[in-house]
Amino acid sequence: MVLEFFKKGFKSLKFKKDKPTPLGDLEEKVMNILWERGDGTVREVREELKEDLAHTTVMTILDRLYKKGLLKRIKEGKSYRYFPLISKEDFEKKVAEKVITDIIKSHPETAIAAFEGAIEKLSDEEIKRLKELIDEKTRDEKK
C-alpha cells in the first residue's frame, strides 16, 4: 500500500542526499547555476554546465523551467535572459512541505512512524523549536 503510494504520487521525485526534487538531473543543474549566478542566457548557462550539450538542449531545459513557473525571462536581443522566480531554499521548502503533506493525508500512520525516527536525528535546538511550533498550534486550536 505505501509502496504503491510512492510509485503513484511521487513518480517525478528523485531522492538525492535525502532531498526530494521534482526536477530532472539537467534541470536541477541548470537551476543551481541560475540560483548561484542570479541570471543567465542559454550560452552562459551552457558554458557553466561544463558538459558537451547542444545549445538547443540547454535552451529546451530553460524553456521547460520557464513553463513550470520557476524562471522568468526577459528578451535580450535575439535571445532571453532567465531569472529564478524562487530561491533555492524556498523551492526546497515547498517540495518538502508537499511531500510531508501528501504522506500525512494519504498514510498518517506511516508519517507518524517516519516522524518518530526523524526526531531521533534532530538536535536539542531543533526539538525545542518543533515543540514550540506544536505548543503554538495547540494553543491556537483551543481559542
Side-chain angles (χ1 to χ4, degrees):
M1 182 179 207
V2 174
L3 184 57
E4 186 176 310
F5 166 76
F6 279 105
K7 284 181 184 176
K8 182 179 172 189
F10 295 103
K11 286 181 192 171
S12 63
L13 290 179
K14 295 182 180 182
F15 290 84
K16 297 178 189 168
K17 301 178 192 167
D18 297 327
K19 286 194 315 187
T21 173
L23 303 175
D25 291 340
L26 194 50
E27 289 175 326
E28 185 176 6
K29 288 177 186 177
V30 167
M31 283 305 299
N32 281 325
I33 288 169
L34 292 174
W35 279 320
E36 190 166 313
R37 288 178 52 102
D39 64 77
T41 62
V42 174
R43 183 183 53 77
E44 292 166 347
V45 171
R46 184 174 174 234
E47 287 172 6
E48 289 221 20
L49 281 169
K50 296 178 177 71
E51 294 181 30
D52 190 24
L53 297 171
H55 181 86
T56 53
T57 301
V58 178
M59 185 169 54
T60 299
I61 294 298
L62 286 164
D63 186 59
R64 190 178 306 151
L65 292 167
Y66 167 76
K67 288 177 180 171
K68 286 182 177 184
L70 294 172
L71 302 176
K72 73 175 181 177
R73 64 185 181 192
I74 296 174
K75 192 80 165 155
E76 197 173 89
K78 292 182 178 182
S79 62
Y80 291 101
R81 180 163 295 276
Y82 292 86
F83 302 83
L85 285 173
I86 186 171
S87 71
K88 183 174 184 173
E89 294 76 22
D90 286 345
F91 175 77
E92 290 174 345
K93 183 180 175 188
K94 284 183 182 291
V95 171
E97 285 174 1
K98 173 145 178 47
V99 170
I100 291 166
T101 301
D102 288 352
I103 291 172
I104 289 170
K105 284 181 181 177
S106 299
H107 300 344
E109 320 79 37
T110 304
I112 290 169
F115 189 67
E116 288 171 347
I119 286 177
E120 294 175 10
K121 298 175 185 169
L122 297 177
S123 69
D124 290 342
E125 187 175 305
E126 291 166 329
I127 290 172
K128 181 181 175 188
R129 176 67 181 131
L130 185 58
K131 186 177 183 320
E132 289 170 358
L133 289 170
I134 292 169
D135 290 345
E136 186 178 304
K137 177 70 174 159
T138 305
R139 274 193 305 276
D140 289 347
E141 288 179 355
K142 287 180 181 176
K143 289 181 183 179

